[in-house]
Amino acid sequence: MNLKLLQAFIAIADAGSFSKAAERLFISQPALSQNVKQLEAHFKTTLIRRDSHKFSLTKAGHILYQHALQLTAASASMEEAMRTLQSDCDQLVSVGATSVIGGYAVPCSIFIFKQKYPNASIKLKLGNRRQILEDLRSDLLDIGIVEGDRPDTAFNADEIHTEEMIIVAPNSESWRKQPQLSLKDVPTVPLIMREEGSATRWAVEQVFRQAGINLRQLNIVLELNSVDSIKAAVEAGHGISILPRIAVKKELYNKALCSLKIDLLSFSQRIYVVYKGKTHRPITAKFIKLMKSAANGFC
């Protein structure tokens, strides 16, 4: 059924005349009469009784009028719901970030973005590097923010920051007495590491390999899958760890942890904003542009 025919019929019934309805709809009276004839032909019944002075709806006309009101209202509601849904989708950006970046830096970037684009909706998912890149590859995410080496050529990857990594130990007298470790000390020190697949672990392993330290000789006492659990384990005296500075700033300031150095070694990790393709929805392109901004993209 053509909704325009029903809308024309409603206009005639509401206006009480063909001429007034034609004015409201900006069409001619003959065209409006033709619309009614099409409806009557479709339903094989008379809908309007006409005489020289007035017209009235037949019983079939009254029934059609009530159903036409419901159908046109349902159609308008459907159109509005779909417009709202499309508008929401157009403003949604799904971002995946590794736990350190997503837990300590990206929320600040999202806050800045929301100040500039208040209608935007940012959905943030945390995971390790391997999980984020896999979700990005499967189109479950629009953007990934990860540390480590540059992702493979299946993605576009822009370096946005280099984060220093800090060797942290319990803030106890025994550790404060030896703030500098030698390379030969490294295999003897209890070490708490992130899980396999995390960018933080990858960065630490790369530095040790380049220094000629055999990873199998490291005294890894715990492998944990969250930065918070690692910090708690270090504070409890179970060992030392190597974590991004952004993740331990508060603990160093509050003196819950202390920082160490290892002779000849420095740890850092590059951070990338990663995405597929070159064409994006406008809101996604704006978020990528913010993250690449040197001024205030990556907090």
Side-chain angles (χ1 to χ4, degrees), residues 134-291:
E134 186 55 41
D135 283 353
L136 193 61
R137 196 185 310 275
S138 302
D139 295 320
L140 299 176
L141 296 170
D142 295 317
I143 299 168
I145 303 169
V146 300
E147 319 100 299
D149 60 337
R150 181 180 291 275
D152 64 50
T153 54
F155 304 104
N156 293 310
D158 300 302
E159 185 178 337
I160 57 175
H161 181 68
T162 298
E163 178 68 16
E164 180 188 8
M165 298 180 70
I166 303 294
I167 306 160
V168 289
N171 190 23
S172 61
E173 185 177 355
S174 59
W175 283 108
R176 289 196 301 271
K177 283 181 177 179
Q178 51 172 337
Q180 187 94 4
L181 301 175
S182 67
L183 284 178
K184 68 179 182 179
D185 293 328
V186 171
T188 66
V189 175
L191 186 60
I192 302 170
M193 295 278 279
R194 281 291 304 273
E195 81 284 7
E196 290 283 355
S198 80
T200 297
R201 181 176 182 127
W202 182 90
V204 171
E205 289 180 346
Q206 286 292 101
V207 173
F208 282 143
R209 283 194 187 96
Q210 291 168 6
I213 296 174
N214 190 322
L215 300 180
R216 282 180 256 178
Q217 293 177 328
L218 294 176
N219 182 22
I220 299 174
V221 294
L222 285 172
E223 295 185 28
L224 302 172
N225 63 3
S226 83
V227 171
D228 287 340
S229 59
I230 290 175
K231 289 190 292 186
V234 173
E235 284 187 49
H238 299 310
I240 69 169
S241 191
I242 304 166
L243 296 170
R245 175 178 286 278
I246 194 172
V248 294
K249 284 195 298 184
K250 182 177 76 172
E251 287 77 13
L252 292 175
Y253 179 80
N254 293 335
K255 301 189 184 306
L257 301 174
C258 66
S259 62
L260 309 176
K261 297 285 186 183
I262 298 178
D263 290 341
L264 307 176
L265 295 188
S266 63
F267 298 84
S268 65
Q269 52 188 180
R270 295 188 174 114
I271 296 170
Y272 297 88
V273 57
V274 187
Y275 46 95
K276 288 172 67 177
K278 298 185 180 299
T279 303
H280 306 277
R281 290 177 296 113
I283 197 69
T284 304
K286 288 172 182 175
F287 192 82
I288 292 171
K289 183 178 179 181
L290 175 80
M291 294 307 299

Side-chain angles (χ1 to χ4, degrees), residues 92-164:
L92 174 66
V93 183
S94 56
V95 179
T98 48
S99 56
V100 173
I101 304 303
Y104 296 93
V106 176
C108 172
S109 300
I110 291 174
F111 177 77
I112 292 170
F113 190 75
K114 290 280 286 181
Q115 283 186 313
K116 193 169 185 180
Y117 304 103
N119 292 328
S121 177
I122 310 298
K123 181 180 179 182
L124 178 61
K125 176 181 179 179
L126 303 184
N128 66 34
R129 174 190 165 95
R130 185 181 298 161
Q131 294 165 342
I132 296 304
L133 293 180
E134 186 55 41
D135 283 353
L136 193 61
R137 196 185 310 275
S138 302
D139 295 320
L140 299 176
L141 296 170
D142 295 317
I143 299 168
I145 303 169
V146 300
E147 319 100 299
D149 60 337
R150 181 180 291 275
D152 64 50
T153 54
F155 304 104
N156 293 310
D158 300 302
E159 185 178 337
I160 57 175
H161 181 68
T162 298
E163 178 68 16
E164 180 188 8

